[in-house]
Amino acid sequence: MSVHKFNPENRKKLNSEQRKAILPPAQVLMDIGIESHTVWADIGCGTGYFTIPLAYEVKQVYALDIRAEMLNDLSDSLTQLQISNVEVLQSGESRFPLPDLLVDGILTSLVLHEVDQPNEFFRELHRILQTGGRLVVIEWAKASTEMGPPLDHRLSVQQLDDWALTAGFTKVKSWQWTENFIGIEYEK
Ligand SMILES: C[S@@+](CC[C@H](N)C(=O)[O-])C[C@H]1O[C@@H](n2cnc3c(N)ncnc32)[C@H](O)[C@@H]1O
């Protein structure tokens, strides 16, 4: 397993006010532009930073993560908030327990820099997405910023594009949120 995996003991930090200030989830989803009749997967969902706001916007969300601790916190929040359109599933490193062509959109936020087998991971993203579906990758910008992982753990846009294009995606557009985060949309 990669040495750079997020430590679940730090999972409360994922919902900090400091994080919401530099990566405001509602603004990010508005920028992405989500259609209400669609079905999404949040891969590497953590404790649901994007899963929960996404659930209010769309028909159905599949929330996947490799760590049970993250998924347990998310399930508790979903119960408390009485959200019923999210299915929470534990995934393998590059194996998503979902059928082919299931979803219209995929969000994967701050996951790829932790992934052990990026080419396999992108192949799985491609497999579960509808033809014409949207893949949105959010990552740390490859820059030295006050918060976040060291520069050599961050991924360049070129690297992300290479993996995505190798898996069969086409690049559509990109965003930047503060100096810290980039978003890239690909289409299948
Ligand atoms: C930094 S957290 C981000 C969580 C969430 N996406 C967010 O933005 O708050 C990274 C998450 O990716 C998960 N993860 C790492 N590798 C993964 C993989 N191969 N498949 C699915 N989840 C993975 C970790 O367990 C962790 O919950």
Side-chain angles (χ1 to χ4, degrees):
M1 188 180 273
S2 157
V3 291
H4 306 313
K5 292 282 185 199
F6 186 84
N7 182 349
E9 284 176 17
N10 297 326
R11 63 192 184 278
K12 300 289 178 215
K13 288 187 188 167
L14 288 173
N15 295 310
S16 71
E17 291 307 313
Q18 191 184 13
R19 184 170 186 227
K20 286 179 189 158
I22 58 170
L23 188 67
Q27 181 65 53
V28 170
L29 293 184
M30 198 183 299
D31 291 345
I32 292 169
I34 308 280
E35 294 181 313
S36 59
H37 63 276
T38 50
V39 174
W40 281 68
D42 183 4
I43 306 291
C45 59
T47 57
Y49 188 77
F50 283 110
T51 314
I52 291 170
L54 193 55
Y56 289 118
E57 302 281 332
V58 300
K59 191 163 91 180
Q60 171 80 35
V61 182
Y62 295 91
L64 275 61
D65 202 285
I66 52 170
R67 298 300 302 242
E69 303 93 319
M70 302 293 203
L71 298 176
N72 289 340
D73 276 16
L74 171 57
S75 296
D76 289 348
S77 299
L78 294 170
T79 304
Q80 269 172 26
L81 296 166
Q82 299 184 309
I83 294 174
S84 57
N85 63 338
V86 177
E87 192 166 333
V88 175
L89 297 162
Q90 190 159 8
S91 53
E93 179 57 40
S94 293
R95 290 191 71 82
F96 311 151
L98 296 174
D100 297 356
L101 308 172
L102 179 71
V103 297
D104 305 299
I106 301 174
L107 179 65
T108 187
S109 158
L110 305 185
V111 181
L112 268 152
H113 68 279
E114 299 188 7
V115 166
D116 286 340
Q117 302 153 327
N119 285 306
E120 285 80 351
F121 190 87
F122 268 98
R123 267 204 292 276
E124 275 291 87
L125 296 172
H126 196 269
R127 180 183 68 74
I128 64 168
L129 192 60
Q130 282 279 4
T131 305
R134 308 172 69 193
L135 166 63
V136 177
V137 173
I138 296 175
E139 265 303 327
W140 291 98
K142 191 150 176 78
S144 295
T145 56
E146 206 175 308
M147 286 182 71
L151 190 60
D152 64 337
H153 293 188
R154 301 177 184 217
L155 301 169
S156 67
V157 171
Q158 182 65 56
Q159 177 65 86
L160 291 164
D161 288 350
D162 284 350
W163 287 328
L165 270 55
T166 300
F169 290 99
T170 309
K171 190 167 179 174
V172 177
K173 65 166 104 156
S174 57
W175 304 267
Q176 173 124 17
W177 295 286
T178 66
E179 59 174 359
N180 297 281
F181 302 104
I182 55 153
I184 308 178
E185 177 173 346
Y186 303 98
E187 183 184 307
K188 175 169 172 181

